Amino acid sequence: ISVTGVQTCALPISPLCHWTSRPSKPDRSHPQDRDMTRPTLLDNVTHRHLRIHTERSAALGDARHSALALPAEFRHLQAHFPIVFQHVEGDLGFQPIALFGLEEGQNLFLTDTGWDATVVPMAVQRDPFMIGRAQDDTLQLHIDLDSPRVVRPDEGEVGTALFMPHG
Protein backbone atom coordinates (compact mmCIF):
# COMPACT_ATOMS: atom_id res chain seq x y z
CA ILE A 1 0.00 0.00 0.00
CA SER A 2 1.35 3.44 -0.82
CA VAL A 3 -0.06 6.68 0.50
CA THR A 4 1.51 10.07 -0.19
CA GLY A 5 4.45 10.39 2.18
CA VAL A 6 3.74 7.08 3.91
CA GLN A 7 5.24 3.69 3.16
CA THR A 8 3.09 1.06 4.81
CA CYS A 9 2.85 -2.66 5.24
CA ALA A 10 -0.36 -4.65 5.43
CA LEU A 11 0.10 -6.38 8.77
CA PRO A 12 -2.79 -7.46 10.94
CA ILE A 13 -3.04 -5.64 14.26
CA SER A 14 -2.38 -8.26 16.88
CA PRO A 15 -0.36 -8.65 20.06
CA LEU A 16 2.24 -10.54 18.00
CA CYS A 17 3.13 -7.52 15.87
CA HIS A 18 6.34 -5.80 16.87
CA TRP A 19 7.58 -2.41 15.78
CA THR A 20 9.96 0.26 16.87
CA SER A 21 7.99 3.31 17.96
CA ARG A 22 10.48 5.99 17.03
CA PRO A 23 9.51 9.15 15.18
CA SER A 24 10.38 9.30 11.52
CA LYS A 25 12.42 12.16 10.08
CA PRO A 26 10.12 15.21 9.97
CA ASP A 27 9.15 16.95 6.74
CA ARG A 28 9.63 20.58 7.74
CA SER A 29 7.45 21.85 4.89
CA HIS A 30 4.34 20.71 6.77
CA PRO A 31 3.54 22.33 10.14
CA GLN A 32 2.32 19.07 11.66
CA ASP A 33 5.62 17.33 10.86
CA ARG A 34 7.96 20.07 12.00
CA ASP A 35 10.09 19.75 15.08
CA MET A 36 9.11 22.04 17.87
CA THR A 37 10.71 25.30 16.85
CA ARG A 38 10.80 26.99 20.25
CA PRO A 39 10.44 24.34 22.95
CA THR A 40 10.35 25.98 26.37
CA LEU A 41 10.07 24.48 29.81
CA LEU A 42 6.54 25.28 31.00
CA ASP A 43 6.60 27.39 34.16
CA ASN A 44 3.52 28.54 36.10
CA VAL A 45 5.11 31.90 36.98
CA THR A 46 6.69 32.83 33.64
CA HIS A 47 3.69 31.53 31.64
CA ARG A 48 0.89 32.56 34.04
CA HIS A 49 -0.87 34.55 31.30
CA LEU A 50 -0.43 31.95 28.55
CA ARG A 51 -3.58 30.81 26.73
CA ILE A 52 -4.10 27.95 24.25
CA HIS A 53 -6.52 27.50 21.34
CA THR A 54 -8.26 24.18 22.04
CA GLU A 55 -10.60 24.07 19.04
CA ARG A 56 -9.67 22.02 15.98
CA SER A 57 -8.99 23.70 12.63
CA ALA A 58 -6.61 23.66 9.68
CA ALA A 59 -5.17 27.02 10.78
CA LEU A 60 -4.14 25.44 14.10
CA GLY A 61 -2.22 22.58 12.47
CA ASP A 62 -4.92 19.92 12.23
CA ALA A 63 -4.80 19.63 8.42
CA ARG A 64 -2.57 16.56 8.56
CA HIS A 65 -3.12 13.27 6.81
CA SER A 66 -1.82 11.06 9.63
CA ALA A 67 -0.70 10.94 13.24
CA LEU A 68 1.18 8.50 15.42
CA ALA A 69 -1.13 5.89 16.94
CA LEU A 70 -0.21 4.56 20.35
CA PRO A 71 -0.98 0.90 21.09
CA ALA A 72 -3.01 1.90 24.17
CA GLU A 73 -5.48 3.76 21.94
CA PHE A 74 -5.78 1.23 19.08
CA ARG A 75 -9.18 -0.02 20.26
CA HIS A 76 -10.71 3.46 20.11
CA LEU A 77 -8.90 4.64 16.97
CA GLN A 78 -9.68 1.61 14.80
CA ALA A 79 -13.40 2.37 15.01
CA HIS A 80 -12.80 5.66 13.16
CA PHE A 81 -9.49 5.60 11.31
CA PRO A 82 -7.46 3.03 9.40
CA ILE A 83 -4.29 2.12 11.31
CA VAL A 84 -1.30 1.30 9.14
CA PHE A 85 2.37 0.69 9.85
CA GLN A 86 4.80 3.28 8.50
CA HIS A 87 8.40 2.34 7.78
CA VAL A 88 10.81 4.44 9.85
CA GLU A 89 13.87 5.69 7.97
CA GLY A 90 17.21 4.17 8.90
CA ASP A 91 15.92 0.60 9.16
CA LEU A 92 14.45 1.30 12.61
CA GLY A 93 11.34 -0.78 11.99
CA PHE A 94 7.74 0.36 11.72
CA GLN A 95 5.49 2.68 13.68
CA PRO A 96 1.68 2.63 13.75
CA ILE A 97 -0.15 5.66 12.39
CA ALA A 98 -3.81 6.58 12.05
CA LEU A 99 -4.71 7.81 8.55
CA PHE A 100 -7.01 10.81 8.13
CA GLY A 101 -6.50 11.22 4.37
CA LEU A 102 -4.44 9.91 1.48
CA GLU A 103 -2.54 13.09 0.56
CA GLU A 104 -0.41 15.55 2.52
CA GLY A 105 -2.59 18.14 4.25
CA GLN A 106 -5.78 16.14 3.64
CA ASN A 107 -7.79 15.43 6.78
CA LEU A 108 -11.19 13.98 5.93
CA PHE A 109 -12.15 14.20 9.61
CA LEU A 110 -11.64 17.97 9.83
CA THR A 111 -14.55 20.19 8.80
CA ASP A 112 -15.22 23.93 8.97
CA THR A 113 -16.78 23.35 12.39
CA GLY A 114 -13.94 21.24 13.83
CA TRP A 115 -13.02 17.57 14.27
CA ASP A 116 -15.66 15.23 12.82
CA ALA A 117 -14.94 12.07 14.82
CA THR A 118 -15.60 11.20 18.45
CA VAL A 119 -11.94 10.28 18.97
CA VAL A 120 -8.85 12.48 18.56
CA PRO A 121 -5.53 10.60 18.64
CA MET A 122 -3.30 11.42 21.61
CA ALA A 123 -0.53 12.59 19.28
CA VAL A 124 -2.92 15.28 17.98
CA GLN A 125 -4.37 16.12 21.42
CA ARG A 126 -0.98 16.84 22.98
CA ASP A 127 -0.11 19.75 20.64
CA PRO A 128 1.62 22.13 21.54
CA PHE A 129 3.00 20.21 24.53
CA MET A 130 5.73 17.60 24.82
CA ILE A 131 7.48 15.71 27.60
CA GLY A 132 11.22 16.16 27.94
CA ARG A 133 13.87 14.88 30.32
CA ALA A 134 16.02 17.01 32.59
CA GLN A 135 19.70 16.25 33.11
CA ASP A 136 18.78 14.33 36.27
CA ASP A 137 16.43 12.16 34.14
CA THR A 138 13.20 13.61 35.61
CA LEU A 139 10.32 14.31 33.24
CA GLN A 140 9.44 17.90 32.37
CA LEU A 141 6.57 19.48 30.47
CA HIS A 142 7.57 21.72 27.54
CA ILE A 143 5.52 23.91 25.22
CA ASP A 144 6.21 25.07 21.67
CA LEU A 145 5.78 28.83 21.91
CA ASP A 146 5.79 29.07 18.08
CA SER A 147 2.79 26.74 17.75
CA PRO A 148 -0.33 28.23 16.14
CA ARG A 149 -2.21 26.86 19.19
CA VAL A 150 -0.51 29.38 21.49
CA VAL A 151 -2.63 32.56 21.72
CA ARG A 152 -0.67 35.60 20.61
CA PRO A 153 -0.86 38.81 22.71
CA ASP A 154 -2.65 40.67 19.89
CA GLU A 155 -5.46 38.05 19.90
CA GLY A 156 -6.73 39.16 23.31
CA GLU A 157 -8.46 36.94 25.89
CA VAL A 158 -9.34 34.02 23.60
CA GLY A 159 -8.53 30.38 24.20
CA THR A 160 -8.10 28.52 27.46
CA ALA A 161 -5.83 29.80 30.22
CA LEU A 162 -3.17 27.30 31.34
CA PHE A 163 -2.83 28.73 34.83
CA MET A 164 -4.76 30.79 37.34
CA PRO A 165 -3.98 34.55 37.09
CA HIS A 166 -1.60 34.39 40.08
CA GLY A 167 0.31 31.49 38.53
Side-chain angles (χ1 to χ4, degrees):
I1 301 171
S2 182
V3 177
T4 304
V6 178
Q7 182 180 6
T8 61
C9 68
L11 296 175
I13 298 173
S14 77
L16 301 177
C17 288
H18 299 283
W19 60 87
T20 304
S21 185
R22 294 188 178 120
S24 61
K25 186 175 179 182
D27 177 355
R28 296 184 197 287
S29 65
H30 300 284
Q32 72 274 10
D33 293 329
R34 66 175 168 73
D35 283 337
M36 293 183 67
T37 55
R38 197 163 43 130
T40 305
L41 182 62
L42 191 60
D43 176 328
N44 67 325
V45 176
T46 306
H47 302 115
R48 68 182 173 273
H49 299 297
L50 199 61
R51 302 179 79 79
I52 302 295
H53 290 288
T54 56
E55 65 274 7
R56 298 282 162 205
S57 77
L60 297 176
D62 293 320
R64 58 178 75 187
H65 79 289
S66 67
L68 183 67
L70 302 175
E73 61 183 340
F74 276 9
R75 183 178 176 127
H76 298 288
L77 293 180
Q78 60 84 29
H80 300 279
F81 318 108
I83 298 174
V84 297
F85 292 84
Q86 177 184 38
H87 183 259
V88 180
E89 289 183 26
D91 199 30
L92 296 174
F94 292 87
Q95 66 183 5
I97 61 170
L99 281 181
F100 311 135
L102 298 178
E103 297 181 20
E104 287 291 336
Q106 179 187 44
N107 185 337
L108 300 174
F109 299 92
L110 187 65
T111 67
D112 293 338
T113 59
W115 198 263
D116 191 25
T118 58
V119 176
V120 179
M122 285 189 255
V124 175
Q125 290 180 38
R126 69 144 184 91
D127 284 343
F129 303 100
M130 71 175 281
I131 301 293
R133 289 196 183 271
Q135 290 180 349
D136 65 356
D137 212 32
T138 58
L139 298 177
Q140 298 177 326
L141 183 61
H142 291 77
I143 186 167
D144 177 8
L145 292 177
D146 287 340
S147 169
R149 292 207 172 278
V150 175
V151 175
R152 308 291 175 236
D154 63 340
E155 293 180 85
E157 294 285 317
V158 298
T160 303
L162 290 182
F163 300 104
M164 301 299 284
H166 59 279

